[in-house]
Amino acid sequence: QTVVTQEPSLTVSPGGTVTLTCASSTGAVTSGYYPNWFQQKPGQAPRPLIYSTSNIHSWTPARFSGSLLGGKAALTLSGVQPEDEAEYYCLLYYGGAWVFGGGTKLTVL
Amino acid sequence: QVQLQESGPGLVKPSETLSLTCSVSGASVSSGSHYWSWIRQPPGKGLEWIGYIYYSGSTNSNPSLKSRVTISVDTSKNQFSLKLSSVTAADTAVYYCATYIPQGGSFDYWGQGTLVTVSS
């Protein structure tokens, strides 16, 4: 059973920078896992932010960026805004199947 | 702009089959530009990928659900559907349909989701 692990919760101050990570139980995450990142606010559908490690959608604010960091996929928010408080999910590809991480609850305080 | 809308019964009895439809606008399910996927989220929990289908009928699904999942596409109605058999309370979730582009591995557009409760 493949497990994708994210930090359960993180707190950041407005204007600050925070990095969320996404690890695979199978080993280092590479570009071949096509990491995706989604933002979800209560009562809403997930909103895609990043695909294929670092590609942004046309609607993704410039303060969001994706990368690979220390064998994990990473989502960095620079200049955090209060409206960035949300749950964030990563998604990894395992040769035909996709597995979501458990999510990171980001608090802006 | 692609728009997706899920529809189907909100309540299903245990052991029965859950059936949902996703209506697509702004794109054609037969265009070949997207795959059409299903994802679910139990109340208060995380997301789970269910599977997807190409207009040709080619499908792929989560190994943990594969034996119970059927995904189909109706090009005449520009819709695709999910059937999940032998449901239990553990299948209670918000079910989302979404587009998937394999070149780049992107899930671009999502429906608003529909809650399905499994209960007698």
Side-chain angles (χ1 to χ4, degrees):
Chain A
Q1 177 78 354
T2 301
V3 177
V4 177
T5 302
Q6 300 181 241
E7 297 87 358
S9 63
L10 291 170
T11 300
V12 61
S13 300
T17 297
V18 65
T19 297
L20 289 65
T21 67
C22 177
S24 171
S25 61
T26 60
V29 175
T30 65
S31 59
Y33 286 78
Y34 297 97
N36 277 249
W37 290 92
F38 302 87
Q39 177 193 67
Q40 187 178 35
K41 296 182 179 180
Q44 297 183 14
R47 176 192 182 200
L49 293 174
I50 302 286
Y51 66 97
S52 197
T53 305
S54 58
N55 293 281
I56 61 171
H57 293 279
S58 59
W59 52 80
T60 304
R63 60 184 180 274
F64 291 87
S65 63
S67 64
L68 296 175
L69 200 62
K72 300 178 184 180
L75 175 69
T76 298
L77 288 70
S78 304
V80 172
Q81 302 296 308
E83 60 265 30
D84 297 333
E85 182 162 296
E87 191 86 20
Y88 290 84
Y89 292 95
C90 68
L91 174 63
L92 300 180
Y93 179 70
Y94 291 87
W98 290 87
V99 180
F100 282 95
T104 295
K105 181 173 175 53
L106 182 67
T107 300
V108 181
L109 203 57
Chain B
Q1 178 81 352
V2 180
Q3 294 187 314
L4 306 169
Q5 179 66 58
E6 306 88 350
S7 61
L11 182 63
V12 180
K13 289 182 168 53
S15 80
E16 296 189 344
T17 296
L18 176 159
S19 294
L20 294 174
T21 295
C22 182
S23 298
V24 179
S25 59
S28 170
V29 296
S30 59
S31 69
S33 59
H34 293 86
Y35 282 55
W36 308 97
S37 63
W38 290 97
I39 293 150
R40 71 179 183 178
Q41 184 173 35
K45 296 188 178 180
L47 298 162
E48 181 178 34
W49 173 73
I50 299 172
Y52 46 61
I53 188 167
Y54 195 48
Y55 80 100
S56 63
S58 171
T59 61
N60 196 11
S61 54
N62 190 321
S64 68
L65 299 170
K66 201 176 189 73
S67 63
R68 299 194 292 130
V69 166
T70 301
I71 300 175
S72 59
V73 64
D74 187 338
T75 55
S76 67
K77 294 181 178 179
N78 213 35
Q79 297 175 337
F80 61 105
S81 298
L82 169 70
K83 290 188 187 300
L84 182 66
S85 63
S86 305
V87 296
T88 69
D91 295 310
T92 294
V94 175
Y95 285 77
Y96 297 99
C97 56
T99 61
Y100 167 64
I101 301 177
Q103 295 85 358
S106 170
F107 290 80
D108 288 37
Y109 299 101
W110 292 57
Q112 65 186 26
T114 187
L115 174 63
V116 179
T117 301
V118 178
S119 175
S120 55

